Structures are given as structure tokens and as C-alpha cells.
Amino acid sequence: MKLETAIHEAYQKLKNNNIKSAMLDSELLMANVINKSREFIILNLDKNIDKKDFDNFQNMVSKREQGQPLAYLTNKKFFWKYEFFVNEHVLIPRPDTEIIIEQVLKIFKFKNNINFLDIGFGSGCILLSLLKERKDFRATGVDISNHAVKVCKINAKKLGLKTRLKLYNSDIDKFKFGKYDLIISNPPYIKNFDIKYLEKDVKFEPKLALNGGLDGISEIRKVIKKSSELIKYGGKLILEIAHNQKKDVKQILNINGFYINSVVKDFSDNDRCIISTKLEN
Ligand code: GLN
């Protein structure tokens, strides 16, 4: 069978299952199965696919039909400037989270040797991207998931980052190492009740990475409280939040001695990232 026919059949199947990016996903699944780039596929549509690859492709397409995210099927996701290894144990990096990287680079443009902490690093997309951008930064990461530690280590190795990084497998409540110039976190912030209404793809992602408790801000509250102990005076705390959490999160920050610098909107014009400075105890 020709690549073109196989891809077209897959496209139809995915489209029938309301997968929005049906064509792109079919091409990317094929690229992954035959271990070539998407460009190669588009330029070689008349090439034949062998039986083993075809069976493999069909298998992936049927998983995608059921809503399995493309990133978990290919074990790859681009974030910022790099491709990250991901699996079903970590949240798939989102473009909106790149706002955190942009903000850190802006705020610390003229400051060197920053020692920062990432709470709930998951795939490691945030902390590893920052270490790549700034050779003088040192990072510590803490995550409750041992799987995340494994995934992040794979990514650190892929990106050639080993020396400026320390990873801990711990609940943030029990973590007590170091004092940081900067703390960043993209914590779980979906209301427990709302999880069942998320898009089909998101349901395949780890609940641990999404579930923000009954009110959606239980984990953010924990992160802020703990950050208040782990941050240096004048240090910055940068958090990703949901579009409707600004008011509550500002209040928690103020109670914990943080001054609000700004709230940054995402690409859909929703409040997404809140930047604060530790000023009081
Ligand atoms: N820090 C990771 C990310 O931004 C994981 C976040 C999480 O699992 N809540 O993608």
C-alpha cells in the first residue's frame, strides 16, 4: 500500500471520530512509525509501506481514535525550542506554559547565577528550557511522582544537562532544601469536579498533574505556603494559574507576604501566569 492511501484512510477514521487535527495527526503518526520526518512523508507519498509498519500504524491510529493524545503515542512533544520525551505519567507540555520561560528571561536578563526551584517539574520542560537558555543558572526540581523524575532525567540527558540540576522525588510539603532567588510552578489547578468535563485527550493525562482539589487551588495554596519558606527575601515566585483563579491566588500570595508584580495573559487572552515578589514574612 502507498503511504498516501494509508494516510488518507487514517485521516478519514480520525475525522469520523471528531479529531480536529486529523490530517496532521495521521502524517505525524506515519512519520513516527517509519522513523522519518513529516516533510519526508509529504514528499514521498507514492512510496510503499511494508506490512509490519502498516500494522503498527493501524494500531496507533486506532489508539488515536479512542482519544489517546498524539504526544503519548509518539513519546514526543515540542516545547520552547526543544523536543521533549513524554509518556502517560507526565503532563504534556503546553505552549501557554512557555510564558513562564519568557517572563523569567525578561525579569532576570541582567541578573546572573540564579538558583531556582521548579515545584512539580513533570517532563522537566520548564526547568530544562531555562537551563538551556542561561548557562549561569542552577536548578532544583521537586516532584511527587517518581515517574516524573525518570522522564525528566531522560530529557536532561537528551539536552546534555546534568551538572547544574538536582532533582528530588518528594511531596512539596516535606521538602526543605535550599533558599532560592526564583521559584516557578505549573501546579495542578483543575477543580476535582471539572475533571470529567475536560476534553477527551486531556482525560489520558495523569490526574496527579491536573487535580487541584475541591476548589482547584489546594495545590497552589500548598505551593505558595511552602515557597514562602524556601524563597529568599526579594525573590520571585512565578505561577501558572487557571483563567478564573487570579483573585483567589492574589489573596493567598498577599497573606503569605508576596507583592503582586503582574498577571500575564496567554495566547487566548486569559489570565495565565502570576508574578510576585517575596517582601514580608
Ligand atoms: N511542569 C510541568 C509542565 O509545565 C508539569 C506540570 C504539571 O504536571 N502540573 O508541563
Side-chain angles (χ1 to χ4, degrees):
M1 184 186 282
K2 288 198 191 316
L3 286 183
E4 185 167 24
T5 320
I7 289 174
H8 192 75
E9 279 179 18
Y11 161 74
Q12 285 298 347
K13 282 188 195 161
L14 297 185
K15 202 170 152 247
N16 293 341
N17 278 277
N18 297 321
I19 309 270
K20 285 184 209 116
S21 47
M23 196 57 185
L24 179 66
D25 287 12
S26 307
E27 289 167 359
L28 290 174
L29 285 176
M30 181 59 87
N32 189 66
V33 165
I34 65 169
N35 211 6
K36 298 273 191 224
S37 67
R38 183 175 164 229
E39 292 73 20
F40 175 92
I41 307 279
I42 295 169
L43 295 171
N44 292 280
L45 286 170
D46 56 342
K47 282 226 160 55
N48 280 314
I49 178 168
D50 66 39
K51 170 93 175 67
K52 203 171 127 258
D53 285 345
F54 182 67
D55 290 346
N56 217 337
F57 179 63
Q58 294 287 78
N59 189 277
M60 285 219 177
V61 171
S62 77
K63 286 187 180 154
R64 185 71 193 103
E65 276 182 89
Q66 288 153 37
Q68 282 248 25
L70 189 80
Y72 290 156
L73 293 170
T74 60
N75 292 117
K76 289 175 196 145
K77 181 70 188 178
F78 259 103
F79 176 84
W80 190 246
K81 296 180 183 168
Y82 309 97
E83 188 181 78
F84 287 82
F85 168 83
V86 290
N87 63 23
E88 69 282 9
H89 299 299
V90 295
L91 194 80
I92 300 169
R94 308 289 204 270
D96 286 328
T97 303
E98 293 175 0
I99 293 169
I100 297 185
I101 314 286
E102 282 169 4
Q103 291 300 318
V104 172
L105 295 179
K106 202 165 112 188
I107 295 168
F108 292 93
K109 192 163 178 193
F110 302 109
K111 294 200 184 97
N112 299 324
N113 304 317
I114 295 303
N115 183 21
F116 74 94
L117 173 69
D118 182 349
I119 302 176
F121 52 78
S123 61
C125 62
I126 306 176
L127 92 171
L128 297 174
S129 297
L130 284 172
L131 288 178
K132 279 302 252 192
E133 288 294 327
R134 292 288 303 259
K135 305 280 175 270
D136 57 322
F137 279 20
R138 276 169 300 129
T140 300
V142 53
D143 201 299
I144 194 166
S145 158
N146 192 32
H147 290 294
V149 177
K150 287 186 194 150
V151 171
C152 185
K153 278 188 180 161
I154 294 174
N155 284 318
K157 203 169 163 205
K158 258 180 96 174
L159 295 171
L161 292 167
K162 267 184 172 173
T163 49
R164 293 177 288 130
L165 172 67
K166 270 195 219 132
L167 300 177
Y168 294 90
N169 176 209
S170 163
D171 185 333
I172 185 58
D173 277 346
K174 302 199 181 83
F175 183 81
K176 48 180 186 303
F177 303 109
K179 277 274 179 191
Y180 302 91
D181 305 292
L182 162 70
I183 299 181
I184 49 181
S185 184
N186 176 17
Y189 54 67
I190 317 277
K191 268 188 195 167
N192 196 347
F193 178 79
D194 290 341
I195 288 194
K196 55 179 173 298
Y197 300 114
L198 292 173
E199 279 182 42
K200 197 158 127 198
D201 280 29
V202 185
K203 291 194 181 129
F204 287 84
E205 297 189 75
K207 297 287 170 291
L208 199 57
L210 297 168
N211 194 340
L214 277 182
D215 56 1
I217 51 171
S218 313
E219 296 305 312
I220 300 186
R221 198 177 284 115
K222 261 167 78 172
V223 166
I224 295 175
K225 272 197 127 154
K226 199 64 197 192
S227 295
S228 149
E229 294 164 24
L230 293 165
I231 204 160
K232 288 183 191 168
Y233 178 79
K236 291 271 185 289
L237 172 61
I238 303 187
L239 297 171
E240 183 168 324
I241 56 167
H243 65 97
N244 54 1
Q245 291 173 333
K246 179 167 80 177
K247 197 165 152 264
D248 289 340
V249 175
K250 273 187 171 176
Q251 204 174 26
I252 305 169
L253 283 166
N254 286 334
I255 293 168
N256 285 279
F258 288 90
Y259 163 85
I260 316 293
N261 296 94
S262 59
V263 178
V264 186
K265 290 192 187 287
D266 64 17
F267 307 123
S268 330
D269 217 28
N270 289 317
D271 292 325
R272 179 63 63 185
C273 173
I274 184 156
I275 300 168
S276 58
T277 306
K278 177 71 175 168
L279 289 183
E280 294 159 36
N281 278 323

